[in-house]
Amino acid sequence: MISKILEEEYKKIANALGDKKDLLKNKSILVTGANGLIGSYLSEFLIYCGANVYAMSRSMEKLKKRFKNCSGINFIEQDLNEPIKTDYKYDYIIHTASNSHPLAFSQDPVGTMKANLFGTMNLLECAKKSNSKFLYLSTGEIYGNNIDHAFTEEDLGSVDTKLARSCYPESKRAAETLCIAYNSQYDVNVNIARLCYVYGPTITDTNSRADAQFLRNALNGEDIILKSKGAQRRTYCYVADTVCALLYILLYGENSEVYNISNPTSIVSVAEYAKTLADIAGVNLKFELPTEVEAKGYSKQADSILDSTKLQNIGWKPLYNITEGLTNTISIKKELQCLKV
């Protein structure tokens, strides 16, 4: 059974996509990382639109558990570091799979890089063979830290390659170049989406990102623990807006173009984000120092703000501000818990 709030979100996204949403109906769409924050929401919305969804993950068990109440979805168990097993021809491939939280970066930097590089190349080979349109999810972390302006797609960025923590942005940057190389040499139709800080009710229980920990605290009625002053400003984007933006790029974006995804109404400090969530959940906000292991996975404390003007110029607009997004996140989580009971 679908959450009533999610159903309303799906209706809003479908309406925002306009007439081109009909191009998703009956299309074969491969979604990698289908168990993740973005991939799971995206997969379920595509089913809602009438697409033939192929959900790919390293674990068949987790796929079946995550989508146990979904009909019309196909499961593919696949390690992306290995050649893609299936020869099926997809209309669209949306590559959301990646280690994307601090603990993974600190504990498995090599695995993070391998998945981003080899996994993307294997999927691009699949796209080349099946003449699929390929949408790659990259990150605003490739820009490094802000100095004096919000990052646009023309900024080249600067990342310290001497840090193991750079495994994530540097491999994402290289994977972007792979996409452009396949477009140039093999005429694969590609787009690249650079994401900011995405949040929402589909975030996994194992995610070690600060906002994921805040949410778990809030749902359990516990104080939210902030392990820094939280002064750095971030561009946050609710998962429903992110999925809408991704499909906007897929359906309206120009071949080989890169688009930032960010919500200009949701630029707040980490502390402001945590305080908003705490107020919604009726809990307290407290400050503690991080452990040594946690600190190794954190990025440097500086602003990270993306400019989404280019995406807005092709028609996308965010649907939810930070308060609305966090309110829906809490409400959907609680609603789904009740439905399970």
Side-chain angles (χ1 to χ4, degrees):
M1 184 181 295
I2 189 175
S3 156
K4 291 180 180 178
I5 303 170
L6 275 174
E7 190 171 14
E8 286 302 311
E9 290 183 358
Y10 291 170
K11 289 177 182 177
K12 284 186 177 182
I13 297 170
N15 183 61
L17 291 174
D19 294 339
K20 284 201 173 186
K21 70 177 180 296
D22 295 334
L23 295 176
L24 300 171
K25 190 173 183 179
N26 298 322
K27 290 294 190 295
S28 296
I29 305 177
L30 174 63
V31 179
T32 70
N35 287 326
L37 164 62
I38 298 170
S40 59
Y41 192 108
L42 173 64
S43 296
E44 291 187 328
F45 176 73
L46 289 171
I47 294 169
Y48 172 84
C49 291
N52 298 317
V53 177
Y54 293 79
M56 181 177 284
S57 170
R58 286 176 294 185
S59 171
M60 180 63 73
E61 181 183 353
K62 289 182 179 179
L63 279 172
K64 289 180 177 179
K65 182 179 180 181
R66 174 61 184 82
F67 297 101
K68 64 182 178 181
N69 296 321
C70 292
S71 58
I73 188 167
N74 308 280
F75 299 142
I76 302 174
E77 187 175 41
Q78 171 76 55
D79 181 344
L80 288 177
N81 289 328
E82 303 295 332
I84 306 301
K85 299 173 186 176
T86 177
D87 289 328
Y88 192 85
K89 294 186 180 297
Y90 304 101
D91 296 295
Y92 304 114
I93 296 175
I94 306 176
H95 183 21
T96 82
S98 175
N99 282 343
S100 57
H101 59 97
L103 197 57
F105 304 154
S106 62
Q107 292 184 339
D108 189 19
V110 174
T112 297
M113 295 197 75
K114 287 173 66 177
N116 285 340
L117 293 169
F118 301 148
T120 302
M121 180 173 288
N122 287 331
L123 286 165
L124 284 165
E125 281 293 320
C126 181
K128 182 180 73 171
K129 292 175 182 177
S130 62
N131 196 30
S132 312
K133 182 166 186 180
F134 188 85
L135 176 58
Y136 179 63
L137 272 65
S138 186
T139 173
E141 284 201 29
I142 68 143
Y143 295 120
N145 293 320
N146 283 86
I147 299 175
D148 58 0
H149 66 281
F151 289 118
T152 72
E153 293 81 357
E154 300 305 311
D155 285 302
L156 300 180
S158 177
V159 176
D160 187 351
T161 58
K162 300 185 298 299
L163 299 176
R165 172 60 176 77
S166 298
C167 62
Y168 180 64
E170 282 299 285
S171 56
K172 283 287 190 179
R173 184 197 298 269
E176 284 193 14
T177 305
L178 266 177
C179 291
I180 299 304
Y182 269 78
N183 173 262
S184 175
Q185 188 167 344
Y186 302 117
D187 202 30
V188 176
N189 191 332
V190 302
N191 280 119
I192 296 165
R194 291 175 181 159
L195 276 61
C196 58
Y197 287 75
V198 180
Y199 67 94
T202 47
I203 198 158
T204 60
D205 293 336
T206 57
N207 194 305
S208 63
R209 236 172 48 187
D211 59 292
Q213 297 176 45
F214 298 163
L215 178 59
R216 286 192 287 271
N217 291 141
L219 287 168
N220 291 331
E222 301 168 350
D223 293 338
I224 292 176
I225 309 300
L226 187 55
K227 297 193 173 184
S228 71
K229 293 182 179 179
Q232 60 271 36
R233 296 167 70 230
R234 300 281 186 253
T235 312
Y236 291 93
C237 195
Y238 184 46
V239 66
D241 278 325
T242 302
V243 165
C244 183
L246 289 170
L247 294 175
Y248 230 96
I249 294 169
L250 191 75
L251 299 173
Y252 292 91
E254 293 185 28
N255 187 9
S256 76
E257 286 295 322
V258 180
Y259 296 91
N260 286 342
I261 295 179
S262 66
N263 186 340
T265 71
S266 297
I267 300 172
V268 296
S269 70
V270 174
E272 288 170 330
Y273 177 97
K275 183 65 167 62
T276 301
L277 182 58
D279 288 345
I280 293 168
V283 299
N284 297 315
L285 173 62
K286 294 184 177 180
F287 295 82
E288 289 182 5
L289 292 177
T291 66
E292 184 177 346
V293 172
E294 288 170 330
K296 284 176 65 179
Y298 294 167
S299 55
K300 291 184 178 181
Q301 295 185 6
D303 291 347
S304 180
I305 300 171
L306 304 189
D307 184 325
S308 62
T309 300
K310 183 176 178 180
L311 179 57
Q312 293 178 65
N313 285 342
I314 63 171
W316 175 78
K317 293 180 181 178
L319 300 169
Y320 301 92
N321 62 34
I322 194 78
T323 301
E324 294 166 336
L326 287 173
T327 298
N328 276 18
T329 296
I330 291 288
S331 298
I332 290 168
K333 278 286 194 184
K334 290 182 176 179
E335 190 176 13
L336 290 175
Q337 287 173 353
C338 290
L339 289 174
K340 288 178 182 178
V341 176

